[in-house]
Amino acid sequence: MGRQPELDRLTDSMLRPPAVVLIEGEAGLGKSRLVAEAAARAAAAGRRVLTGFCHPLREPLPFGPVVDALRGVGPFLPPADRIPASAGALRPLLPDLADRLPPPPPGAPGEGPPGLRLLVQAVRALLGALGETVLVVEDLHWVDDATRELLLLLARDVPPGLALVLTYRAEDLPPDTPVLGAAYRRPAGVGGALLRLSPLAEAEVHELARAALGPRATAALTRVLFERSEGLPLVAEEDLITLGERRGADALTTAADLAADLEQSEVPRGLRDAVTERLAVLSPDAAAIACAAAVLGVPAGEELLAAVAGLDAQAAADGLTEALRAAVLNEKPLARYGFRHVLAQQVAYRRLPGPRRGALHRRAVAALGAREPRPLVQIAHHTLALGDRAAWQEVAEAAADQAVALGDSGSAGPLLRRLLDEPDLDPRRRGRAALALARIAADGVDSLASAATLTAIIADPRLPVPDRGEIRLSLGFLMAVHGGDRAGFDRIEESLEELEQRPDRAARAMVALAMNERDGAGERAWQWLERAERVLAASPDEEVAAAVRATRLTFLAREGDPSVWERLEALPRSSERPEIVRQTTRALYNVGEIAVELGHDRRAARLLEESRRLARQAAIPYLECYSRIALARLDGLAGRWEGLEERLAALGAEFPDLAMAGIEQALLLGRLAAARGQLAVAYARFAEAEPYGERESQVTGALRVAAGPAALLLAEGDVARAAAVVAPALDTLRAAGAWPRAAELLPVAVEVLLAGGDRAGAAELAGQAGAGLEGRDAPAPLAALAFARGLLLADGGDPAGAGAEFVRCAGLWREIGRPYEAARAEERGAAVSAGVDRAVAGELIGAAERAYLALGAAWDAARCQRLRRELGLGRAASPGRRGYGERLSPRERQVAALAAQGAANQDIARALFLSTRTVEHHVASALRKLGVGRAGLGEALAAEDGAS
């Protein structure tokens, strides 16, 4: 087929899972042929190959192209007891295989289709049970939104044995829309490629001709083929087929004859004319079948083709057989028939005179309307083609309702958008369509695209006021919750007046407004909640009541109220109403995240794991993402730093449109970089997080965003800049009274104030924190307060009291489970205790140094070593100085480890309190001993560790 490099690369990816391959190319470039040949190779190598197709007029079926592909797994299925239980969620979509799949898992909908997250889990489980498998989905330019989201999530979390292959035409994608709906970057450890097919070169056309004609495919023939096809494989293949038909196998004698035949042929250049000639020689019955297939636009069964063509069964069968033999049509899966390529279908359709097209579309409407269930999407297409806009509007709305009822938002979305573009649409129908589209958009994975859709809907002046209010509420919720932009609360408040006739939605808006605690809004939080409860008293609504309950628990957790834990246990974990479970999941996440701030780390881990599990079962992607991010943060706080960067990067790639993924990645990686001495990286990471702290509606983000860079600036002696960072965060803290969530900011702020000579301000801050934490169940801020009091005592000339406070602080952090924070307290305790009790100081500095080294916190460990020398506390326990020969010394290893992480020599010098010249000497020595360049340091160190 003239694409050997692409074929080899695609085959290699299929045989080396996990892999994701995107194949892009215009119509006729041979994407399907390339995939078919590679798939044949993969199948010969023992891989299971499953294929699904996207169609422009697909009837509602949730995630249809993927489900079509999975219908072929029957021969490969292991016994049901060897298939993960989560795969049972596919039973409603694969009824023919239901008896071979496990029972539906808990939380799966009864008879309906599973939600997106549950389906992703089920598909991953089923593919995993099959072993090494190739899943091909063709023509993604026609994919529906729901299937696109499913494939995006699958591509971001590829099962170990899966090679995912997706083909598409870039020119036919919606404007400014990536093929998977969001920017996609293959996760770490996943192979694959982006293959952009271009027209064949002349040499590749020659290869194609040789495959068909053998040695008679000379340069002269290739030149004619290439000029006629312009490198389009489909056109070249059509010419080769035409030659075979015209001259017959026995007449294909010389290359010169073949070239002359093409040059003198009446077939004009290009596929259109080649297809036209093939259609022209068909018998009337075969031509009628081809015309019916062209009008239907999607592969169809023999009975439907006969009805649209107006033929009896025998004539239709004979005509179909002739069209197949003439290679005008070909057979598709499930006994369906259609054109070999969409270009050929378009040529055939455009050849039809208008009256003839109209008659065929009317027959299609009649034939499809007689089916049960009625394929409304196809009926809507044919009705629109007839120009009957009133009838089309009615059928399109019914088709969208049908798709939504089946859980197929991907088919419903385009229909609803097209309806809303109708200038004369009835206002009531416009309102229904707008609300349906808003609900689809609000539940989507890509919140940025959804927000754009909702904004456009709201701008429509023909929209009824209550409908506009409900859509504005959805937009505000997307902006504030998904996008981390508190401007969304302005949209929510604007919706209240518009929702006067819909008290349940107005109450939901009040609950959302209660969650904003910035710009003075926090003082009104309980007022909004009480207003919502008054509305509910007059107009009860169980789902909104669940939202109120979840918000009330969030407020109790914010305040460090110990009663929240018992109340949380009383929430329902299952319900026939999905919104009830959604609100329980929200409460578990909110309280779990706040529990991290409070210092209840073990309890937080349990709550967040439960919210993650429920969010996956209930198909709430953003809450699952939030839970996973918070769990990763807990791992960082607990000192489990190994592989944390990779996990965070994967989460960021999986959920690029969720603001929280970016902020947590920036804050956590900033902390890790600072601990490892990569100060430039740390500053850059903290700078990434800064805009979020300004926009986020919860004050916690602003406090944490300020703490990181302020600590770095203070450590480098830039007190003025550190104070400038801390000041607005302290204003925010005091305005919100968020003392139970001030564990990160409080000790840094007190130290900054003391360094700037404002002892009174530091004492006032510690006093306010102490009063604000009185009676609160908040171990982490209490530990931070102990650190702050230690700083004040040391500054006031009471080293013994300060040392005791730091030791108490270290014990509190250790009990919570945060070794890095405990080590910081021990290090400070050693510094203030050296003049009082050198033995205690030595123990504390040794404990801190060991903890830092165990964590990989090179900068902090080096600071401890310098402090030990400055205080004259002796060296750390060591077998004594010795020559290391060709092995790395401890200092060389320390320097090499930082260099392997990408730190520059100047950064390493600052981190380890060495001169740049000394660092250069250690780097050069390490490179010489290991026999590598700087880029190879990481592998060389890992190899040395494995050998030791």
Side-chain angles (χ1 to χ4, degrees), residues 61-63 89 92-93 108-116 118-119 403-408:
L61 171 66
F63 319 105
L93 299 179
E111 298 297 323
L116 179 60
L118 193 59
L119 180 68
V404 170
L406 291 170
D408 187 3

Side-chain angles (χ1 to χ4, degrees), residues 491-636:
R491 307 290 84 76
I492 295 172
E493 191 160 2
E494 289 168 8
S495 75
L496 278 176
E497 186 175 345
E498 297 168 324
L499 291 171
E500 188 175 345
Q501 299 175 28
R502 295 180 184 172
D504 59 323
R505 305 313 297 158
R508 187 66 186 86
M510 294 169 191
V511 172
L513 288 168
M515 291 300 295
N516 183 19
E517 56 178 343
R518 298 291 291 273
D519 306 321
E523 299 174 0
R524 303 170 60 197
W526 285 105
Q527 296 173 17
W528 281 121
L529 209 56
E530 288 163 3
R531 279 186 62 181
E533 289 173 333
R534 287 197 297 272
V535 171
L536 285 175
S539 303
D541 184 289
E542 188 178 348
E543 293 181 355
V544 181
V548 170
R549 188 164 54 241
T551 303
R552 183 174 290 276
L553 290 173
T554 302
F555 288 179
L556 292 176
R558 276 182 186 174
E559 296 177 355
D561 188 327
S563 71
V564 70
W565 314 118
E566 186 176 347
R567 297 187 187 198
L568 201 62
E569 293 304 316
L571 290 180
R573 266 60 171 182
S574 62
S575 171
E576 293 181 357
R577 307 181 72 168
E579 183 63 19
I580 304 295
V581 178
R582 187 188 190 98
Q583 291 300 330
T584 292
T585 308
R586 172 175 162 256
L588 288 168
Y589 165 73
N590 284 351
V591 176
E593 186 200 26
I594 294 169
V596 179
E597 303 299 330
L598 298 175
H600 290 291
D601 289 14
R602 285 176 284 276
R603 179 174 269 149
R606 291 194 299 271
L607 294 174
L608 292 167
E609 183 56 41
E610 186 177 9
S611 71
R612 183 203 63 77
R613 188 173 62 253
L614 278 179
R616 172 164 288 197
Q617 291 174 1
I620 314 171
Y622 80 91
L623 277 178
E624 183 190 352
C625 172
Y626 287 1
S627 301
R628 288 166 60 189
I629 290 169
L631 286 166
R633 181 186 172 202
L634 272 176
D635 282 343

Side-chain angles (χ1 to χ4, degrees), residues 594-765:
I594 294 169
V596 179
E597 303 299 330
L598 298 175
H600 290 291
D601 289 14
R602 285 176 284 276
R603 179 174 269 149
R606 291 194 299 271
L607 294 174
L608 292 167
E609 183 56 41
E610 186 177 9
S611 71
R612 183 203 63 77
R613 188 173 62 253
L614 278 179
R616 172 164 288 197
Q617 291 174 1
I620 314 171
Y622 80 91
L623 277 178
E624 183 190 352
C625 172
Y626 287 1
S627 301
R628 288 166 60 189
I629 290 169
L631 286 166
R633 181 186 172 202
L634 272 176
D635 282 343
L637 294 172
R640 295 185 287 270
W641 294 358
E642 187 70 30
L644 194 56
E645 292 98 328
E646 291 77 12
R647 285 175 57 195
L648 290 167
L651 277 169
E654 187 175 349
F655 299 94
D657 58 311
L658 293 184
M660 184 182 173
I663 178 67
E664 284 298 345
Q665 182 178 10
L667 286 174
L668 273 171
L669 296 186
R671 283 174 59 98
L672 290 180
R676 290 167 174 168
Q678 299 169 292
L679 304 189
V681 174
Y683 277 121
R685 289 294 190 180
F686 289 140
E688 291 172 17
E690 185 179 355
Y692 179 86
E694 296 171 357
R695 297 171 59 203
E696 164 64 2
S697 62
Q698 310 299 300
V699 301
T700 314
L703 308 186
R704 294 178 56 213
V705 164
L712 273 185
L713 291 166
L714 187 63
E716 293 201 292
D718 195 339
V719 178
R721 286 180 63 198
V725 170
V726 162
L730 287 178
D731 291 341
T732 299
L733 170 63
R734 287 170 168 138
W739 302 106
R741 290 170 283 158
E744 287 193 32
L745 179 65
L746 179 60
V748 177
V750 167
E751 189 166 10
V752 168
L753 290 170
L754 289 173
D758 187 4
R759 176 175 172 78
E764 181 185 13
L765 176 59

Side-chain angles (χ1 to χ4, degrees), residues 128-143:
L130 298 178
E132 294 191 334
T133 302
V134 178
L135 174 60
V136 178
V137 181
E138 294 252 37
D139 298 324
L140 249 71
H141 46 278
W142 285 325
V143 72

Side-chain angles (χ1 to χ4, degrees), residues 52 61-72 90 93-95 119 147 150:
L61 171 66
F63 319 105
V66 175
V67 172
D68 286 345
L70 293 178
R71 285 180 177 140
L90 291 169
L93 299 179
L94 300 173
L119 180 68
T147 302
L150 168 62

